Structure formats: C-alpha cells, structure tokens
C-alpha cells in the first residue's frame, strides 16, 4: 500500500512512465474481475484498458483514504456495469468447450456442472453476482467489498450467502438428476 | 469427485487467465497519446481564442495591467529619489 502511494506521488510529480508499474501490478486481477463480472472474455481487456486509463486521469483525486487496489477495483466495477448496460443484453458467461459425450464420465460430469454453474452465475441478480465474484473469485476482504460496493458489511455478507445458496442448489439439482439417470 | 472439489476446480478454472502480451504497452500508449493531446491543446490557437473570449478575460487583463502599473509607479517613486 505504501509502495503504491509512493509510486502515485511520483507519477503526479510527472514521472508518467511509473504508471506502467501499477498497470503491471494490477492488470491480472483487474482483467479477471472485469471478465468475471461481465462474463465477456472477448472485450474484458478493452474494458480493463479503459479502467487503467480512467484511473490515470483521475489519479490526482485518489486521496489515499483507501488502498489503491480498492480504488482501482471500484473503477473496474463501475466500468464493468457501464459496459453491461451498453450491451443491453444479459451477460452470458463463457461456457466451457463443447461437451464431448465420449469423455470419461468424471470429466464429463465436471464439465456439465461447470456449464451449469456458469449459467447460474450469469443469471444471479447483479448485486449478488458482484458480491460473490469479489469474495469468492477475487478473494477480497469484506472491508474492500463494502467500499467497492458502497454497502454495509451485513448487506454484503447476506448477498454472498444468498449467492452461495443459489449455486449450492445447482449442485443439489445436478446430482439429483445424475442419480436419476 | 465431491461437490466441494468440483466447486474448487471451477473457481480455479475461473481464476486462470492469459493476458495478451503488450497489454501494459497499450495502456501506456493511450496515456502518452492523451498527454500529447493535452499539451498540444494548451498551446493551440483554439485554446488562446477560448482564453481571450472568456468573460473574465477583459477584467483579468485590466486588473493585471493595473497591478503592473501601480508596481511601476511605486518602483519609480521609491528608487528615483
């Protein structure tokens, strides 16, 4: 955190090239977060590029009251939401490759279940999906998620647990179906 | 496989990703272009036209001239006697 703040100070003093350090440090989590929130693997890098560019332009407004990563993830969250609104179609998460019925049954079951999970994650209400992605995929702390989402810790906890419940139901339904076959 | 194991495998699969090479270069190019445009705007004819046609341009010019004039008078009075 102190390292980021020091880098930011130097960038604001005119050493623009140092921004590359921040990009290289956070490109992976930002792109992954955008991909998981939008479900759009094709344009997640373009959106992430937009995130870093916006962060650069607004850098002087970063007051250091939160971590730089939290501030950056908030921009990423907002840009992802805007991108989804622009598309105006519900985000369908990338499905795993086509299921091959010749595959060994364990691998087949796994692939089918992954596809089910992806579909159900895409169908979750936005708030639940975002809380789930930030907590489970990005493994951010509750404190970070509350700042990014602008909601209380209790609300975030409820959202995550509801999302998990819904996804757990996918497992139950799936294995029930499998048993019947 | 247990459901927890499948869930963990799914999470692992979702956390894996390949970033196209040159991503940071693209971001930096965009920033460089933005900075170039910004400094070009600062010295462009349009910028000066906008500056002079601003509603505070005339009062600011008059006030500035007045301050310079007064300073000049003070300087002359103080150092010429």
């Amino acid at each position: 955190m102190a390292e980021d703040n020091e880098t930011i100070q130097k960038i604001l003093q005119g050493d623009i090239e140092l921004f590359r350090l921040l990009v290289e440090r956070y490109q992976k989590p930002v792109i992954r977060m955008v991909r998981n929130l939008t479900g759009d693997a094709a344009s997640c890098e373009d959106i992430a590029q937009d995130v870093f560019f916006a962060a650069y332009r607004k850098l002087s407004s970063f007051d250091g009251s939160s971590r730089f990563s939290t501030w950056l993830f908030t921009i990423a969250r907002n840009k992802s939401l805007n991108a989804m609104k622009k598309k105006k179609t519900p985000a369908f998460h990338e499905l795993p490759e086509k299921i091959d019925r010749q595959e060994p049954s364990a691998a087949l079951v796994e692939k089918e279940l992954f596809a089910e999970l992806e579909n159900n994650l895409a169908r979750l209400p936005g708030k639940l999906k975002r809380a789930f992605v930030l907590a489970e995929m990005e493994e951010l702390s509750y404190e970070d998620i509350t700042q990014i989402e602008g909601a209380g810790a209790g609300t975030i906890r409820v959202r995550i647990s509801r999302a998990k419940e819904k996804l757990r139901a996918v497992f139950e339904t799936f294995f029930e179906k499998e048993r019947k076959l | 496989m247990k459901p927890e194991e499948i869930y963990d495998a799914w999470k692992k699969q979702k956390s894996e990703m390949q970033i196209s090479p040159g991503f940071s270069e693209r971001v930096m190019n965009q920033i460089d272009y933005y900075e170039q445009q910004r400094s070009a705007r600062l010295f462009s004819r349009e910028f000066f036209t906008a500056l002079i046609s601003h509603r505070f341009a005339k009062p600011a010019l008059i006030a500035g001239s007045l301050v310079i004039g007064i300073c000049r008078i003070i300087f002359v009075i103080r150092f010429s006697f």
Side-chain angles (χ1 to χ4, degrees):
Chain A
M1 184 183 175
E3 203 182 334
D4 284 346
N5 289 350
E6 208 175 293
T7 310
I8 290 164
Q9 282 313 310
K10 286 181 184 162
I11 296 166
L12 291 174
Q13 282 160 15
D15 198 347
I16 296 167
E17 189 52 32
L18 277 179
F19 193 74
R20 188 190 295 273
L21 277 183
L22 296 178
V23 175
E24 283 168 0
R25 197 173 292 157
Y26 293 109
Q27 58 186 5
K28 199 173 175 185
V30 167
I31 297 173
R32 191 178 53 213
M33 181 180 157
V34 170
R35 187 196 61 185
N36 287 335
L37 286 178
T38 59
D40 187 351
S43 50
C44 64
E45 282 199 11
D46 292 336
I47 301 167
Q49 187 174 336
D50 208 17
V51 170
F52 282 108
F53 184 54
Y56 174 78
R57 282 187 298 150
K58 293 180 195 165
L59 203 57
S60 57
S61 71
F62 172 67
D63 58 6
S65 60
S66 64
R67 279 188 302 187
F68 173 71
S69 57
T70 312
W71 183 74
L72 186 66
F73 290 154
T74 310
I75 299 176
R77 173 237 190 228
N78 294 339
K79 291 277 177 195
S80 302
L81 281 179
N82 289 344
M84 285 161 76
K85 271 183 207 157
K86 266 184 205 162
K87 269 185 119 181
K88 282 182 182 170
T89 47
F92 286 104
H93 283 237
E94 246 187 310
L95 295 176
E97 338 106 52
K98 215 177 163 194
I99 292 159
D100 177 8
R101 292 275 161 194
Q102 301 300 310
E103 278 184 74
S105 64
L108 185 68
V109 166
E110 190 184 275
K111 270 192 175 180
E112 284 182 358
L113 190 49
F114 278 11
E116 278 292 309
L117 285 167
E118 290 293 341
N119 275 333
N120 280 275
L121 179 65
R123 269 191 247 123
L124 282 179
K127 287 176 181 175
L128 300 195
K129 187 169 86 177
R130 286 199 302 276
F132 177 80
V133 165
L134 295 176
E136 290 290 299
M137 307 292 171
E138 302 310 318
E139 295 179 343
L140 297 181
S141 67
Y142 275 75
E143 196 192 336
D144 285 340
I145 303 171
T146 53
Q147 283 188 34
I148 292 169
E149 284 293 302
T155 311
I156 294 298
R157 206 163 285 134
V158 169
R159 285 178 191 170
I160 295 168
S161 102
R162 280 196 191 148
K164 278 184 178 173
E165 255 171 50
K166 285 180 190 274
L167 292 177
R168 203 173 293 127
V170 175
F171 276 99
E172 281 161 18
T173 320
F174 186 83
F175 284 111
E176 211 171 290
K177 249 194 260 169
E178 284 287 308
R179 269 196 299 274
K180 280 180 189 168
L181 285 175
Chain B
M1 248 177 141
K2 287 177 186 168
E4 300 84 52
E5 286 171 348
I6 297 177
Y7 177 71
D8 287 340
W10 176 61
K11 264 175 56 175
K12 197 178 164 212
Q13 187 214 43
K14 283 188 79 67
S15 68
E16 284 165 1
M17 63 174 314
Q18 290 290 317
I19 301 169
S20 63
F23 174 78
S24 60
E25 199 55 47
R26 285 205 305 277
V27 175
M28 292 313 290
N29 285 343
Q30 191 180 8
I31 288 170
D32 283 342
Y33 181 72
Y34 167 74
E35 287 296 342
Q36 278 170 20
Q37 293 293 307
R38 209 162 68 144
S39 53
R41 264 201 310 272
L42 202 63
F43 298 107
S44 68
R45 179 184 285 193
E46 289 79 15
F47 175 76
F48 281 111
T49 315
L51 193 71
I52 324 169
S53 54
H54 194 278
R55 64 192 174 118
F56 292 129
K58 267 187 192 169
L61 196 68
I62 294 167
S65 307
L66 267 174
V67 170
I68 293 170
I70 292 167
C71 289
R72 172 98 175 119
I73 292 166
I74 292 170
F75 182 82
V76 170
I77 294 170
R78 220 181 141 91
F79 295 104
S80 54
F81 298 107

